[in-house]
Amino acid sequence: MISGIVYLVGAGPGDPGLITMKGLNCIRKASVIVYDRLASPKLLAYASPDAEIIYVGKSPDRHAMKQHEINQLLVEKAKDGNIVTRLKGGDPFVFGRGGEEAEELVENGIRFEVVPGITSAVAVPAYAGIPVTHRDATSNFAVITGNEDPTKEESNIAWDKIATGIGTLVFLMGMGNLPHISEKLIQHGRSPKTPVALVRWGTRPEQRSLVGTLENIADKAKEADFRNPAIILVGEVVKLRDKLSWFENKPLFGKQVLVTRSRQQASALSRRIEELGGEPYEFPTIQVTAADDYTPLDNAIKNLSSYRWVIFTSVNGVKYFFKRLKILNKDVRELHGVKICAIGPKTREELESFGLLVDYVPGEYRAEQIVAGLKGNVQPGDKVLLPRADIARKILPQALAEMGANVEEVTTYKTILGAGDAGKVIEKLKQKELHVLTFTSSSTVRNFVKLLDVDNLNELLQDVVVASIGPITSNTARELGIDVTVEAKEYTIRGLVEAVMQTDSRD
Ligand code: SAH
């Protein structure tokens, strides 16, 4: 068998967006991925579904794999002919022991490549609003190991030189030795008033920072129970943070937001939350699947040109309608002469993606508004087709019928209870890890309550912001005993996010 190859890849400091394109490609093509604690697990989503994924870091139930065992693993997997991607936090050659792994590969005659990564030593300060160099403050910086045993007789660190000879000092792996580090620097001539910043889990939504001076930072850290993984940043540049802090100032920074939409629909909301500095937690309460019986829809499709209007009330409605059209070996030409209404901009976009122009989109995205807008357009006796979910509200067909329309409702898809891990959500609520819950429809609320199935829901939701997409969803929530904290003014995802931003649940 041809022996494989090992890519030693820097995964970046935590924000998954900070991997290089080359690194991402290595994840995509790997048949084996070996990763540890500091490499963002979110990157694994890009791995091939067949890839073998091996975690070699510490976990609650076992110790981290020893370095020689990791080396051995890489060699074996490569010898088996695999494409092995060894994913390491930050840069593989900056205190990543990547050098040792590479040596072992060379000794075993295994091909390898190194894909450098963005090191935490530079990126974490950047996300804390601290440039490691600055014309006014310093012209150099050093990255130093902080885990040298302080009782060691002969230090490998030239404390006398770095204390005064270098402007910005970045210590990695140093939290356990913080008192020792500050002491050494002061001892060797650095001013006790030198600013110091500690940044934990930098570039991630959990990022936390603590600022002090060489003389007080150790006490402050102890008081705040500030732990690894964190960097210690020493130097005048720390002061720039007051002006340049940007990540921690994002509107949703530090907030975990529950997304209850179906998996297919969650991503737009999740992405927006991330952009605003929040951390989405997806708990799909709804699953969208095909309807049980397509006879009514098939009949309608066979007679499409007999309808005056087709009204689409959701993106899913459009998707499943066109799926069916295709199964019946037909295409958009069947809609010739039929007027099309979309309930909102997303539904319109979906229709446009099929090359259709939409005749009417109501200003407010509710059934009541559709009816108002169609008045004058729909004549008594006109046939109106409503392809939609099995559980859709009756108000729209009723109102259309009152206008004299001949309404036909056909089921295009059905929604069932999502299969998310409710136990985990309950645990997160108990631990106060979730700050905001978002509900984008009545069924997301109903299913959320059903899935959690607890007696003390109100108690669990005490400190949580509950955000609803509109009055109908809010009503359903209230009926189920959930207090709605904020409601979107515009009944869209954008409106919902706006509403969430108006609240400050952090305190
Ligand atoms: N190769 C890595 C460093 C590995 S040593 C790199 O280039 O970033 C591990 C140390 O890196 C941790 O103890 C901590 O000091 C630092 N570190 C890595 N990721 C970090 C993060 N997201 N936030 C804060 N410190 C981090």
Side-chain angles (χ1 to χ4, degrees), residues 474-490:
S474 304
N475 271 342
T476 307
R478 281 188 210 105
E479 276 165 29
L480 292 167
I482 297 178
D483 287 335
V484 174
T485 327
V486 281
E487 184 181 283
K489 290 207 174 67
E490 184 194 271

mmCIF file with all atom_site columns, all heavy atoms in Angstrom, residues 474-490:
data_model
loop_
_atom_site.group_PDB
_atom_site.id
_atom_site.type_symbol
_atom_site.label_atom_id
_atom_site.label_alt_id
_atom_site.label_comp_id
_atom_site.label_asym_id
_atom_site.label_entity_id
_atom_site.label_seq_id
_atom_site.pdbx_PDB_ins_code
_atom_site.Cartn_x
_atom_site.Cartn_y
_atom_site.Cartn_z
_atom_site.occupancy
_atom_site.B_iso_or_equiv
_atom_site.pdbx_formal_charge
_atom_site.auth_seq_id
_atom_site.auth_comp_id
_atom_site.auth_asym_id
_atom_site.auth_atom_id
_atom_site.pdbx_PDB_model_num
ATOM 1   N N   . SER A 1 474 ? -46.112 35.184 19.985 1.00 0.00 ? 474 SER A N   1
ATOM 2   C CA  . SER A 1 474 ? -46.131 35.635 21.382 1.00 0.00 ? 474 SER A CA  1
ATOM 3   C C   . SER A 1 474 ? -47.371 35.113 22.102 1.00 0.00 ? 474 SER A C   1
ATOM 4   O O   . SER A 1 474 ? -47.297 34.681 23.253 1.00 0.00 ? 474 SER A O   1
ATOM 5   C CB  . SER A 1 474 ? -46.129 37.159 21.468 1.00 0.00 ? 474 SER A CB  1
ATOM 6   O OG  . SER A 1 474 ? -45.033 37.676 20.775 1.00 0.00 ? 474 SER A OG  1
ATOM 7   N N   . ASN A 1 475 ? -48.517 35.180 21.415 1.00 0.00 ? 475 ASN A N   1
ATOM 8   C CA  . ASN A 1 475 ? -49.751 34.691 22.036 1.00 0.00 ? 475 ASN A CA  1
ATOM 9   C C   . ASN A 1 475 ? -49.660 33.227 22.395 1.00 0.00 ? 475 ASN A C   1
ATOM 10  O O   . ASN A 1 475 ? -50.034 32.811 23.491 1.00 0.00 ? 475 ASN A O   1
ATOM 11  C CB  . ASN A 1 475 ? -50.931 34.870 21.079 1.00 0.00 ? 475 ASN A CB  1
ATOM 12  C CG  . ASN A 1 475 ? -51.556 36.229 21.281 1.00 0.00 ? 475 ASN A CG  1
ATOM 13  O OD1 . ASN A 1 475 ? -51.334 36.856 22.325 1.00 0.00 ? 475 ASN A OD1 1
ATOM 14  N ND2 . ASN A 1 475 ? -52.301 36.693 20.301 1.00 0.00 ? 475 ASN A ND2 1
ATOM 15  N N   . THR A 1 476 ? -49.145 32.446 21.457 1.00 0.00 ? 476 THR A N   1
ATOM 16  C CA  . THR A 1 476 ? -48.997 31.012 21.724 1.00 0.00 ? 476 THR A CA  1
ATOM 17  C C   . THR A 1 476 ? -48.105 30.818 22.950 1.00 0.00 ? 476 THR A C   1
ATOM 18  O O   . THR A 1 476 ? -48.406 30.000 23.819 1.00 0.00 ? 476 THR A O   1
ATOM 19  C CB  . THR A 1 476 ? -48.355 30.298 20.515 1.00 0.00 ? 476 THR A CB  1
ATOM 20  O OG1 . THR A 1 476 ? -49.113 30.640 19.359 1.00 0.00 ? 476 THR A OG1 1
ATOM 21  C CG2 . THR A 1 476 ? -48.321 28.814 20.702 1.00 0.00 ? 476 THR A CG2 1
ATOM 22  N N   . ALA A 1 477 ? -47.017 31.588 23.013 1.00 0.00 ? 477 ALA A N   1
ATOM 23  C CA  . ALA A 1 477 ? -46.106 31.460 24.153 1.00 0.00 ? 477 ALA A CA  1
ATOM 24  C C   . ALA A 1 477 ? -46.853 31.763 25.446 1.00 0.00 ? 477 ALA A C   1
ATOM 25  O O   . ALA A 1 477 ? -46.767 31.008 26.418 1.00 0.00 ? 477 ALA A O   1
ATOM 26  C CB  . ALA A 1 477 ? -44.916 32.396 23.983 1.00 0.00 ? 477 ALA A CB  1
ATOM 27  N N   . ARG A 1 478 ? -47.598 32.856 25.456 1.00 0.00 ? 478 ARG A N   1
ATOM 28  C CA  . ARG A 1 478 ? -48.320 33.247 26.685 1.00 0.00 ? 478 ARG A CA  1
ATOM 29  C C   . ARG A 1 478 ? -49.333 32.185 27.070 1.00 0.00 ? 478 ARG A C   1
ATOM 30  O O   . ARG A 1 478 ? -49.470 31.850 28.235 1.00 0.00 ? 478 ARG A O   1
ATOM 31  C CB  . ARG A 1 478 ? -49.005 34.594 26.483 1.00 0.00 ? 478 ARG A CB  1
ATOM 32  C CG  . ARG A 1 478 ? -48.001 35.711 26.628 1.00 0.00 ? 478 ARG A CG  1
ATOM 33  C CD  . ARG A 1 478 ? -48.638 37.077 26.623 1.00 0.00 ? 478 ARG A CD  1
ATOM 34  N NE  . ARG A 1 478 ? -47.685 38.009 26.051 1.00 0.00 ? 478 ARG A NE  1
ATOM 35  C CZ  . ARG A 1 478 ? -47.757 38.516 24.832 1.00 0.00 ? 478 ARG A CZ  1
ATOM 36  N NH1 . ARG A 1 478 ? -48.784 38.230 24.046 1.00 0.00 ? 478 ARG A NH1 1
ATOM 37  N NH2 . ARG A 1 478 ? -46.825 39.319 24.381 1.00 0.00 ? 478 ARG A NH2 1
ATOM 38  N N   . GLU A 1 479 ? -50.026 31.646 26.069 1.00 0.00 ? 479 GLU A N   1
ATOM 39  C CA  . GLU A 1 479 ? -50.998 30.592 26.361 1.00 0.00 ? 479 GLU A CA  1
ATOM 40  C C   . GLU A 1 479 ? -50.328 29.409 27.040 1.00 0.00 ? 479 GLU A C   1
ATOM 41  O O   . GLU A 1 479 ? -50.937 28.705 27.827 1.00 0.00 ? 479 GLU A O   1
ATOM 42  C CB  . GLU A 1 479 ? -51.657 30.110 25.065 1.00 0.00 ? 479 GLU A CB  1
ATOM 43  C CG  . GLU A 1 479 ? -52.833 30.979 24.642 1.00 0.00 ? 479 GLU A CG  1
ATOM 44  C CD  . GLU A 1 479 ? -53.231 30.710 23.188 1.00 0.00 ? 479 GLU A CD  1
ATOM 45  O OE1 . GLU A 1 479 ? -53.007 29.559 22.726 1.00 0.00 ? 479 GLU A OE1 1
ATOM 46  O OE2 . GLU A 1 479 ? -53.721 31.639 22.531 1.00 0.00 ? 479 GLU A OE2 1
ATOM 47  N N   . LEU A 1 480 ? -49.068 29.191 26.701 1.00 0.00 ? 480 LEU A N   1
ATOM 48  C CA  . LEU A 1 480 ? -48.350 28.054 27.287 1.00 0.00 ? 480 LEU A CA  1
ATOM 49  C C   . LEU A 1 480 ? -47.591 28.469 28.550 1.00 0.00 ? 480 LEU A C   1
ATOM 50  O O   . LEU A 1 480 ? -46.753 27.728 29.061 1.00 0.00 ? 480 LEU A O   1
ATOM 51  C CB  . LEU A 1 480 ? -47.392 27.464 26.263 1.00 0.00 ? 480 LEU A CB  1
ATOM 52  C CG  . LEU A 1 480 ? -48.093 26.778 25.085 1.00 0.00 ? 480 LEU A CG  1
ATOM 53  C CD1 . LEU A 1 480 ? -47.130 26.490 23.951 1.00 0.00 ? 480 LEU A CD1 1
ATOM 54  C CD2 . LEU A 1 480 ? -48.754 25.477 25.537 1.00 0.00 ? 480 LEU A CD2 1
ATOM 55  N N   . GLY A 1 481 ? -47.846 29.668 29.013 1.00 0.00 ? 481 GLY A N   1
ATOM 56  C CA  . GLY A 1 481 ? -47.270 30.117 30.279 1.00 0.00 ? 481 GLY A CA  1
ATOM 57  C C   . GLY A 1 481 ? -45.865 30.671 30.178 1.00 0.00 ? 481 GLY A C   1
ATOM 58  O O   . GLY A 1 481 ? -45.161 30.780 31.174 1.00 0.00 ? 481 GLY A O   1
ATOM 59  N N   . ILE A 1 482 ? -45.439 31.031 28.968 1.00 0.00 ? 482 ILE A N   1
ATOM 60  C CA  . ILE A 1 482 ? -44.098 31.597 28.822 1.00 0.00 ? 482 ILE A CA  1
ATOM 61  C C   . ILE A 1 482 ? -44.203 33.119 28.667 1.00 0.00 ? 482 ILE A C   1
ATOM 62  O O   . ILE A 1 482 ? -44.949 33.612 27.816 1.00 0.00 ? 482 ILE A O   1
ATOM 63  C CB  . ILE A 1 482 ? -43.392 31.016 27.573 1.00 0.00 ? 482 ILE A CB  1
ATOM 64  C CG1 . ILE A 1 482 ? -43.193 29.507 27.741 1.00 0.00 ? 482 ILE A CG1 1
ATOM 65  C CG2 . ILE A 1 482 ? -42.063 31.704 27.323 1.00 0.00 ? 482 ILE A CG2 1
ATOM 66  C CD1 . ILE A 1 482 ? -42.563 28.839 26.541 1.00 0.00 ? 482 ILE A CD1 1
ATOM 67  N N   . ASP A 1 483 ? -43.468 33.835 29.492 1.00 0.00 ? 483 ASP A N   1
ATOM 68  C CA  . ASP A 1 483 ? -43.459 35.294 29.378 1.00 0.00 ? 483 ASP A CA  1
ATOM 69  C C   . ASP A 1 483 ? -42.572 35.716 28.228 1.00 0.00 ? 483 ASP A C   1
ATOM 70  O O   . ASP A 1 483 ? -41.412 35.325 28.163 1.00 0.00 ? 483 ASP A O   1
ATOM 71  C CB  . ASP A 1 483 ? -42.900 35.931 30.664 1.00 0.00 ? 483 ASP A CB  1
ATOM 72  C CG  . ASP A 1 483 ? -43.896 35.823 31.790 1.00 0.00 ? 483 ASP A CG  1
ATOM 73  O OD1 . ASP A 1 483 ? -45.105 35.720 31.487 1.00 0.00 ? 483 ASP A OD1 1
ATOM 74  O OD2 . ASP A 1 483 ? -43.483 35.822 32.966 1.00 0.00 ? 483 ASP A OD2 1
ATOM 75  N N   . VAL A 1 484 ? -43.111 36.515 27.346 1.00 0.00 ? 484 VAL A N   1
ATOM 76  C CA  . VAL A 1 484 ? -42.313 36.995 26.219 1.00 0.00 ? 484 VAL A CA  1
ATOM 77  C C   . VAL A 1 484 ? -41.659 38.316 26.619 1.00 0.00 ? 484 VAL A C   1
ATOM 78  O O   . VAL A 1 484 ? -42.332 39.241 27.057 1.00 0.00 ? 484 VAL A O   1
ATOM 79  C CB  . VAL A 1 484 ? -43.205 37.188 24.976 1.00 0.00 ? 484 VAL A CB  1
ATOM 80  C CG1 . VAL A 1 484 ? -42.423 37.822 23.839 1.00 0.00 ? 484 VAL A CG1 1
ATOM 81  C CG2 . VAL A 1 484 ? -43.791 35.851 24.549 1.00 0.00 ? 484 VAL A CG2 1
ATOM 82  N N   . THR A 1 485 ? -40.333 38.372 26.499 1.00 0.00 ? 485 THR A N   1
ATOM 83  C CA  . THR A 1 485 ? -39.621 39.586 26.897 1.00 0.00 ? 485 THR A CA  1
ATOM 84  C C   . THR A 1 485 ? -39.627 40.627 25.779 1.00 0.00 ? 485 THR A C   1
ATOM 85  O O   . THR A 1 485 ? -39.849 41.799 26.017 1.00 0.00 ? 485 THR A O   1
ATOM 86  C CB  . THR A 1 485 ? -38.139 39.269 27.239 1.00 0.00 ? 485 THR A CB  1
ATOM 87  O OG1 . THR A 1 485 ? -38.061 37.972 27.814 1.00 0.00 ? 485 THR A OG1 1
ATOM 88  C CG2 . THR A 1 485 ? -37.557 40.297 28.171 1.00 0.00 ? 485 THR A CG2 1
ATOM 89  N N   . VAL A 1 486 ? -39.340 40.183 24.564 1.00 0.00 ? 486 VAL A N   1
ATOM 90  C CA  . VAL A 1 486 ? -39.335 41.122 23.437 1.00 0.00 ? 486 VAL A CA  1
ATOM 91  C C   . VAL A 1 486 ? -40.009 40.500 22.227 1.00 0.00 ? 486 VAL A C   1
ATOM 92  O O   . VAL A 1 486 ? -39.941 39.290 22.014 1.00 0.00 ? 486 VAL A O   1
ATOM 93  C CB  . VAL A 1 486 ? -37.909 41.533 22.996 1.00 0.00 ? 486 VAL A CB  1
ATOM 94  C CG1 . VAL A 1 486 ? -37.334 42.567 23.910 1.00 0.00 ? 486 VAL A CG1 1
ATOM 95  C CG2 . VAL A 1 486 ? -37.005 40.340 22.843 1.00 0.00 ? 486 VAL A CG2 1
ATOM 96  N N   . GLU A 1 487 ? -40.619 41.373 21.436 1.00 0.00 ? 487 GLU A N   1
ATOM 97  C CA  . GLU A 1 487 ? -41.298 40.913 20.228 1.00 0.00 ? 487 GLU A CA  1
ATOM 98  C C   . GLU A 1 487 ? -40.775 41.727 19.052 1.00 0.00 ? 487 GLU A C   1
ATOM 99  O O   . GLU A 1 487 ? -40.572 42.933 19.171 1.00 0.00 ? 487 GLU A O   1
ATOM 100 C CB  . GLU A 1 487 ? -42.793 41.141 20.405 1.00 0.00 ? 487 GLU A CB  1
ATOM 101 C CG  . GLU A 1 487 ? -43.648 40.623 19.280 1.00 0.00 ? 487 GLU A CG  1
ATOM 102 C CD  . GLU A 1 487 ? -45.125 40.910 19.539 1.00 0.00 ? 487 GLU A CD  1
ATOM 103 O OE1 . GLU A 1 487 ? -45.737 40.199 20.360 1.00 0.00 ? 487 GLU A OE1 1
ATOM 104 O OE2 . GLU A 1 487 ? -45.634 41.868 18.942 1.00 0.00 ? 487 GLU A OE2 1
ATOM 105 N N   . ALA A 1 488 ? -40.558 41.055 17.934 1.00 0.00 ? 488 ALA A N   1
ATOM 106 C CA  . ALA A 1 488 ? -40.049 41.758 16.749 1.00 0.00 ? 488 ALA A CA  1
ATOM 107 C C   . ALA A 1 488 ? -41.082 42.762 16.256 1.00 0.00 ? 488 ALA A C   1
ATOM 108 O O   . ALA A 1 488 ? -42.285 42.504 16.301 1.00 0.00 ? 488 ALA A O   1
ATOM 109 C CB  . ALA A 1 488 ? -39.746 40.742 15.656 1.00 0.00 ? 488 ALA A CB  1
ATOM 110 N N   . LYS A 1 489 ? -40.577 43.907 15.796 1.00 0.00 ? 489 LYS A N   1
ATOM 111 C CA  . LYS A 1 489 ? -41.498 44.900 15.217 1.00 0.00 ? 489 LYS A CA  1
ATOM 112 C C   . LYS A 1 489 ? -41.793 44.519 13.776 1.00 0.00 ? 489 LYS A C   1
ATOM 113 O O   . LYS A 1 489 ? -42.890 44.662 13.292 1.00 0.00 ? 489 LYS A O   1
ATOM 114 C CB  . LYS A 1 489 ? -40.868 46.289 15.278 1.00 0.00 ? 489 LYS A CB  1
ATOM 115 C CG  . LYS A 1 489 ? -40.775 46.802 16.707 1.00 0.00 ? 489 LYS A CG  1
ATOM 116 C CD  . LYS A 1 489 ? -40.797 48.328 16.738 1.00 0.00 ? 489 LYS A CD  1
ATOM 117 C CE  . LYS A 1 489 ? -40.854 48.816 18.164 1.00 0.00 ? 489 LYS A CE  1
ATOM 118 N NZ  . LYS A 1 489 ? -39.591 48.509 18.902 1.00 0.00 ? 489 LYS A NZ  1
ATOM 119 N N   . GLU A 1 490 ? -40.748 44.065 13.081 1.00 0.00 ? 490 GLU A N   1
ATOM 120 C CA  . GLU A 1 490 ? -40.950 43.548 11.730 1.00 0.00 ? 490 GLU A CA  1
ATOM 121 C C   . GLU A 1 490 ? -40.894 42.028 11.878 1.00 0.00 ? 490 GLU A C   1
ATOM 122 O O   . GLU A 1 490 ? -39.954 41.498 12.455 1.00 0.00 ? 490 GLU A O   1
ATOM 123 C CB  . GLU A 1 490 ? -39.791 44.054 10.859 1.00 0.00 ? 490 GLU A CB  1
ATOM 124 C CG  . GLU A 1 490 ? -39.900 43.678 9.412  1.00 0.00 ? 490 GLU A CG  1
ATOM 125 C CD  . GLU A 1 490 ? -38.578 43.900 8.674  1.00 0.00 ? 490 GLU A CD  1
ATOM 126 O OE1 . GLU A 1 490 ? -38.379 45.011 8.162  1.00 0.00 ? 490 GLU A OE1 1
ATOM 127 O OE2 . GLU A 1 490 ? -37.765 42.967 8.647  1.00 0.00 ? 490 GLU A OE2 1
#
